[in-house]
């Protein structure tokens, strides 16, 4: 017999008692969201400049996404890849129509999409050159995920410490440094993987000349070019994918965070020629291409590929920069603001390096959700459709946050 019971009450303290301690979540627990506002257990309201780390790109509980999920929930939830499904094929067709891609592989997370991309690049080279072309070149500070392969390809050595032995034939060179890449390239390189805008590494856009040069060097050495657009893709740069704004086309592109706007899904996009190396049985994923995920992502893709929405990202960028520049002037805590579209980084001055968490917690006290990136950056990744009123209110709360942080520091 089923009994109608209240869900068990939980608190932040339970996290420390029952969860693996690889995260250190904030003191409050959000329970509800609508658009760019979020409410916690106690009913306190927050302006969301974090977007679940660049994930909830259309805000919380967008009616079209909720409808797509509910509609699919009444049809079919899961089939496995022994069958195909309509939502996956519809989404893949739209992604191919809107991008350079001719083939799509679905996964569940950014790391898995990158894992697929790196494996495909190795396999493509192996099919043509045997064991003579296995080296992967990536960039310092880059972030590509947390599987052992993707974290090893990432350019943050602190994240692989203790997990050795690591995959081999991976080199790292400084980002935005074409001569360094040129020195590192060779005919044994199967792929170069790059974030067009580094996210976790500190919100650092690639220069157009750099990406154009990377493309040329890949072509000269017969290496595939992989763009990791897990964070900057799906409209965040003000273009559907950042490569479109740069005018540099990769051979493989990965998309995840905002693809399902909060429903877990990722995709690896590529050409028919490259895709051919993933022959039947060579790679797979139980949940990849799940109908619920693909139905939500199809609705998200329709909304985000709308030119008006993308133009809105570019105007919101201008609006935010205009609001943030005076804060950089006013507060010693901040040294600069940079970024692309609605992925923005407030660079902290040296005295504040490593203290981003203080700012984040003070922001929460002021009813504002923000993020950090590395030890030096306060990161903003609001929804792409964030209303003007929420931008204005968020900036006001950020102003108050920075004032309090500096006041506390002055007193201590
Ligand atoms: C977040 C991120 C990833 C990893 O995605 P997960 O879904 O956490 O596996 C990979 N690359 C970039 C650029 C990211 O920002």
């Amino acid at each position: 017999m089923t009994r109608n019971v209240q869900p068990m009450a939980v608190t932040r303290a339970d996290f420390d008692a029952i969860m693996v301690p690889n995260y250190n979540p904030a003191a409050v627990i959000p329970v509800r969201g609508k658009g760019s506002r979020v409410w916690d257990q106690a009913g306190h309201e927050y302006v969301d400049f974090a977007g679940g780390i660049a994930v909830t790109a259309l805000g919380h509980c967008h009616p079209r996404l909720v409808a797509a999920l509910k509609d699919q929930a009444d049809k079919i939830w899961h089939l496995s890849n022994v069958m195909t499904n309509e939502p996956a094929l519809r989404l893949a067709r739209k992604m191919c129509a809107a991008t350079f891609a001719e083939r799509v592989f679905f996964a569940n997370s950014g790391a898995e999409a990158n894992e697929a991309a790196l494996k495909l690049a190795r396999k493509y080279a192996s099919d043509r050159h045997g064991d003579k072309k296995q080296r992967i070149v990536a960039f310092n500070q880059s972030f590509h995920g947390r599987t052992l392969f993707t974290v090893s390809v990432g350019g943050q050595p602190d994240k692989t410490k203790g997990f050795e032995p690591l995959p081999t034939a991976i080199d790292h060179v400084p980002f935005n440094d074409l001569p360094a890449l040129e020195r590192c390239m060779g005919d044994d390189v199967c792929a170069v993987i790059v974030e067009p805008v580094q996210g976790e590494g500190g919100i650092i856009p690639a220069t157009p000349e750099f990406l154009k040069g990377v493309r040329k060097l890949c072509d000269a050495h017969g290496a595939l070019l992989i763009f990791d657009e897990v964070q900057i893709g799906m409209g965040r740069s003000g273009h559907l994918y950042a490569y479109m704004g740069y005018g540099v086309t990769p051979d493989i592109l990965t998309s995840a965070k905002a693809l399902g706007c909060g429903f877990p899904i990722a995709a690896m996009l590529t050409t028919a020629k490259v895709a051919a190396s993933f022959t039947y049985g060579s790679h797979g994923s139980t949940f990849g291409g799940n109908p619920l995920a693909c139905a939500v992502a199809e609705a998200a893709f329709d909304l985000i590929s709308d030119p008006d929405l993308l133009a809105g990202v570019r105007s919101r960028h201008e609006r935010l920069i205009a609001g943030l520049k005076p804060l950089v002037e006013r507060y010693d805590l901040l040294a600069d603001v940079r970024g692309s579209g609605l992925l923005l980084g407030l660079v902290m001055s040296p005295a504040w390096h490593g203290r981003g968490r203080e700012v984040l917690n003070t922001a929460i006290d002021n009813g504002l959700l923000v993020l950090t990136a590395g030890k030096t950056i306060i990161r903003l990744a609001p929804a792409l459709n964030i209303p003007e009123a929420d931008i204005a209110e968020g900036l006001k709360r950020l102003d108050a946050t920075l004032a309090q942080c500096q006041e506390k520091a002055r007193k201590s």
Side-chain angles (χ1 to χ4, degrees), residues 56-304:
T56 51
L58 294 168
H60 298 273
C61 296
H62 189 288
R64 292 258 310 262
L65 304 187
V66 172
L69 181 58
K70 285 184 172 168
D71 182 57
Q72 188 59 39
D74 285 330
K75 288 180 178 158
I76 196 159
W77 284 26
H78 183 73
L79 280 163
S80 89
N81 288 298
V82 175
M83 303 282 161
T84 187
N85 69 78
E86 291 180 355
L89 295 179
R90 281 202 306 264
L91 173 60
R93 193 154 63 190
K94 285 181 179 174
M95 295 186 88
C96 287
T99 68
F100 76 98
E102 298 161 325
R103 297 289 185 273
V104 178
F105 171 81
F106 287 122
N108 311 290
S109 66
E112 285 171 273
N114 284 331
E115 183 86 17
L118 296 164
K119 280 181 69 179
L120 177 59
R122 284 257 175 98
K123 183 70 162 46
Y124 179 82
S126 163
D127 289 348
R128 283 162 180 74
H129 306 280
D131 62 2
K132 300 280 183 297
K133 199 173 179 67
Q134 301 175 331
R135 195 153 60 90
I136 290 162
V137 179
F139 296 93
N140 294 346
Q141 304 108 230
S142 66
F143 183 78
H144 300 298
R146 298 288 199 145
T147 63
L148 195 58
F149 195 5
T150 57
V151 81
S152 303
V153 169
Q156 302 182 21
D158 55 314
K159 291 190 164 59
T160 51
K161 239 179 123 193
F163 296 111
E164 300 84 357
L166 304 177
T168 54
I170 301 164
D171 288 321
H172 296 95
V173 296
F175 187 61
N176 272 337
D177 185 341
L178 208 51
L181 178 64
E182 192 162 6
R183 286 193 295 277
C184 187
M185 285 300 281
D187 290 342
D188 62 336
V189 174
C190 67
V192 175
I193 181 167
V194 60
E195 297 164 80
V197 178
Q198 283 196 338
E200 305 301 312
I203 320 297
I204 310 169
T207 64
E209 310 77 63
F210 176 67
L211 282 193
K212 289 190 176 106
V214 175
R215 176 73 270 181
K216 270 201 193 123
L217 284 170
C218 284
D219 291 341
H221 293 282
L224 296 180
L225 177 55
I226 304 170
F227 277 1
D228 177 348
E229 294 215 25
V230 167
Q231 188 155 169
I232 197 64
M234 281 296 278
R236 189 152 295 277
S237 70
H239 303 270
L240 178 59
Y241 285 101
Y243 85 85
M244 297 168 173
Y246 280 100
V248 178
T249 304
D251 302 293
I252 302 176
L253 180 147
T254 55
S255 183
K257 287 189 165 81
L259 182 55
C261 284
F263 203 102
I265 179 170
M268 178 191 72
L269 310 181
T270 188
T271 62
K273 185 177 165 200
V274 174
S277 282
F278 263 1
T279 49
Y280 176 55
S282 58
H283 192 65
S285 160
T286 295
F287 291 121
N290 169 276
L292 292 168
C294 290
V296 174
E298 186 193 355
F301 199 80
D302 286 344
L303 290 164
I304 289 177

Side-chain angles (χ1 to χ4, degrees), residues 348-360:
M348 291 185 285
S349 50
W352 283 81
H353 289 183
R355 295 169 66 185
R357 199 59 194 247
E358 267 175 63
V359 181
L360 194 148

